[in-house]
Amino acid sequence: MQALNQRLTEYNQIGLQLAELERQQSVNEQSYLAYRKKAEELRISDELNAQKISGVRVISEARPPVEPSSPRRLLILGIAVLVGLFLGIGYSAISEYFDDTFRGADDVKRILGTELMLTVPKFESRER
């Protein structure tokens, strides 16, 4: 029983040491961040002095936007669909307008105004 109490006391002391080390780590991290911020301010100040710029004051820190301003995917997709639709309709209209093939005997009679003397019948092919 005495050995268990001694081990429990050791564990409590180790736990206290761990808590102290974690607190010290947190303090060190905060100090590092403060020193880093001051170093950046000093670097900016030195750069402004080197370029002889005065009267500059930082109002607030720059923050990245929550949503990107571009690319707007839905807008791009909508425009692409509309452009594709117009191009498809335009291509089919132009290809039909410039198509000068005769599709049958009625086309020859209507366009040329003459009767056909002969047509070649279309045979169904048999595959064996």
Side-chain angles (χ1 to χ4, degrees):
M1 188 68 168
Q2 182 68 18
L4 291 176
N5 284 338
Q6 184 178 5
R7 286 181 80 188
L8 184 60
T9 305
E10 288 176 10
Y11 286 144
N12 285 338
Q13 288 176 354
I14 291 172
L16 289 174
Q17 288 176 354
L18 178 63
E20 178 62 27
L21 289 174
E22 287 174 347
R23 188 189 69 75
Q24 188 62 36
Q25 179 187 7
S26 174
V27 168
N28 289 342
E29 284 177 356
Q30 290 174 357
S31 297
Y32 168 73
L33 292 176
Y35 289 137
R36 190 173 80 180
K37 184 177 179 181
K38 290 292 183 183
E40 182 66 18
E41 289 173 2
L42 181 62
R43 185 190 66 79
I44 291 171
S45 176
D46 287 344
E47 189 67 31
L48 291 175
N49 286 339
Q51 295 182 6
K52 295 183 173 53
I53 298 174
S54 63
V56 175
R57 184 172 49 147
V58 176
I59 294 174
S60 65
E61 290 184 18
R63 295 185 188 135
V66 176
E67 295 180 5
S69 62
S70 65
R72 292 185 275 183
R73 291 184 178 144
L74 195 57
L75 177 67
I76 292 171
L77 182 65
I79 291 172
V81 166
L82 287 176
V83 168
L85 183 67
F86 287 133
L87 287 176
I89 291 171
Y91 176 75
S92 65
I94 289 173
S95 66
E96 185 64 31
Y97 180 75
F98 288 110
D99 186 19
D100 57 356
T101 58
F102 295 116
R103 304 233 191 274
D106 295 335
D107 286 345
V108 174
K109 288 178 187 176
R110 185 174 42 87
I111 294 172
L112 297 179
T114 62
E115 293 290 325
L116 286 178
M117 294 176 62
L118 175 68
T119 59
V120 178
K122 187 175 185 179
F123 291 106
E124 296 292 325
S125 64
R126 288 186 193 173
E127 293 197 27
R128 293 182 190 187

